[in-house]
């Protein structure tokens, strides 16, 4: 796990981007958005390049059906997230992985319909000043799972139930995917291992890994 703060842009980082990334980068008008995008994509390339012993600028990404990037034939899995000033990159030696970091939301009205009924029952007891951080903690846990499977927000996050923010991270249920084996709506990826990630003050983060095996998370701040 690598986390970084996006503070500035450098020409050396820009040179790592491919044409598509460069177009996105150049389309961003606000300097903080540019710094965030550039830091994220440069970090991802540097991490992958080092792990695979390849030129970071030469990596060619493919995308899954819902946009999850991957490297054909590389034998590694990875995930990227960026929010506010934070970037997170997760890399595994083959276990599908999803990472999500989010700045603690400053929305006056939280989008509570993304919570399941079980989560909502707990959330409704969270005191006012803690609600934004608690909501963000739920959100990153759910989104990390959906990024690990590659479905992203094509799946209604309210179908997932994760543990309460003050409990160890865990996927407790996934409505529509709990039926007997062999049914179409049972996805092959469960179970999911979920871990919280220290994304820094004012942020929440989580990483999800598909499958039974326990994992050792090695955090690196760059
Ligand atoms: C992936 C998704 C959850 C991103 O959430 P977010 O909080 O806005 O952004 P994050 O910073 O956490 O993650 C973004 C990164 O996730 C990765 N990503 C994109 N789609 C993904 C997917 N389906 N699954 C996992 N990772 C994905 C990319 O690396 C992306 O980086 P980029 O946008 O800089 O290229 C959301 O955009 C989504 O659900 N997308 C898929 C559905 C969709 O609309 N697809 C359109 C193309 S078919």
């Amino acid at each position: 796990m690598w986390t970084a703060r996006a503070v500035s842009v450098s020409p050396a980082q820009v040179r790592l981007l491919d044409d598509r990334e460069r177009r996105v980068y150049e389309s961003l008008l606000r300097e903080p958005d540019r710094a965030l995008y550039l830091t994220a994509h440069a970090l991802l390339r540097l991490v992958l390049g080092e792990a695979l012993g390849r030129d970071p600028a030469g990596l060619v990404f493919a995308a899954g059906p819902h946009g999850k990037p991957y490297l054909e034939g590389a034998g590694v899995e990875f995930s990227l997230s960026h929010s506010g000033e934070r970037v997170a990159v997760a890399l595994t030696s083959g276990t599908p992985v999803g990472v999500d970091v989010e700045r603690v939301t400053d929305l006056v009205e939280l989008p509570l319909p993304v919570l399941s009924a079980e989560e909502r029952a707990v959330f409704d007891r969270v005191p006012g000043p803690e609600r934004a951080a608690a909501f963000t903690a739920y959100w990153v846990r759910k989104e990390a799972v959906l990024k690990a499977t590659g479905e992203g927000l094509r799946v209604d996050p309210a179908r997932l139930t994760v543990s309460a923010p003050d409990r160890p991270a865990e996927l407790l249920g996934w409505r529509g995917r709990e039926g007997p084996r062999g049914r179409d709506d049972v996805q092959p990826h469960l179970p999911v291992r979920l871990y919280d990630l220290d994304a820094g003050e004012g942020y929440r983060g989580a990483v999800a890994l598909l499958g039974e095996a326990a994992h050792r998370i090695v955090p690196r701040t760059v």
Side-chain angles (χ1 to χ4, degrees):
M1 274 300 331
W2 285 257
T3 48
R5 253 187 89 204
V7 280
S8 60
V9 302
S10 84
Q13 288 177 317
V14 179
R15 281 196 291 275
L16 294 173
L17 304 183
D18 65 18
D19 290 348
R20 192 196 65 83
E21 290 167 322
R22 206 168 295 198
R23 275 197 301 277
V24 175
Y25 168 71
E26 280 164 5
S27 74
L28 298 169
L29 300 178
R30 294 177 59 244
E31 201 54 36
D33 294 340
R34 289 186 146 214
L36 184 67
Y37 184 87
L38 183 58
T39 305
H41 286 263
L43 179 64
L44 177 64
R45 284 179 172 276
L46 291 168
V47 164
L48 288 169
E50 190 185 337
L52 300 170
R54 284 163 58 181
D55 172 15
L59 298 170
V60 179
F61 294 101
H66 306 303
K68 183 173 183 173
Y70 66 94
L71 282 176
E72 192 83 61
V76 296
E77 294 268 345
F78 59 87
S79 182
L80 171 68
S81 184
H82 39 74
S83 171
E85 275 190 358
R86 293 293 149 159
V87 170
V89 169
L91 172 70
T92 75
S93 53
T95 303
V97 63
V99 67
D100 194 49
V101 287
E102 296 287 340
R103 183 156 46 190
V104 170
T105 178
D106 54 5
L107 291 176
V108 177
E109 207 156 314
L110 298 170
L112 297 180
V114 304
L115 300 180
S116 68
E118 295 88 335
E119 290 166 343
R120 189 65 199 268
V122 177
F123 183 78
D124 283 347
R125 296 199 299 272
V126 173
E130 292 165 30
R131 284 168 77 83
F135 178 84
T136 309
Y138 273 118
W139 177 251
V140 293
R141 289 177 176 182
K142 289 151 88 81
E143 200 170 306
V145 174
L146 294 175
K147 290 179 77 177
T149 67
E151 291 157 294
L153 297 176
R154 290 289 163 99
V155 169
D156 177 2
R159 287 174 53 195
L160 279 65
T161 298
V162 297
S163 47
D166 60 349
R167 309 289 308 157
E170 196 183 346
L171 177 65
L172 300 173
W174 189 327
R175 190 158 39 83
R177 295 201 180 173
E178 294 127 344
R181 281 183 193 283
R183 266 176 46 183
D184 284 351
D185 61 351
V186 179
Q187 62 119 0
H189 304 306
L190 295 175
V192 173
R193 297 270 180 173
L194 199 51
Y195 305 87
D196 282 330
L197 168 70
D198 181 1
E201 177 83 24
Y203 289 80
R204 292 293 179 274
V207 57
L209 294 132
L210 304 187
E212 300 273 3
H215 298 83
R216 196 164 63 91
I217 311 273
V218 184
R220 305 249 166 83
T221 306
V222 291

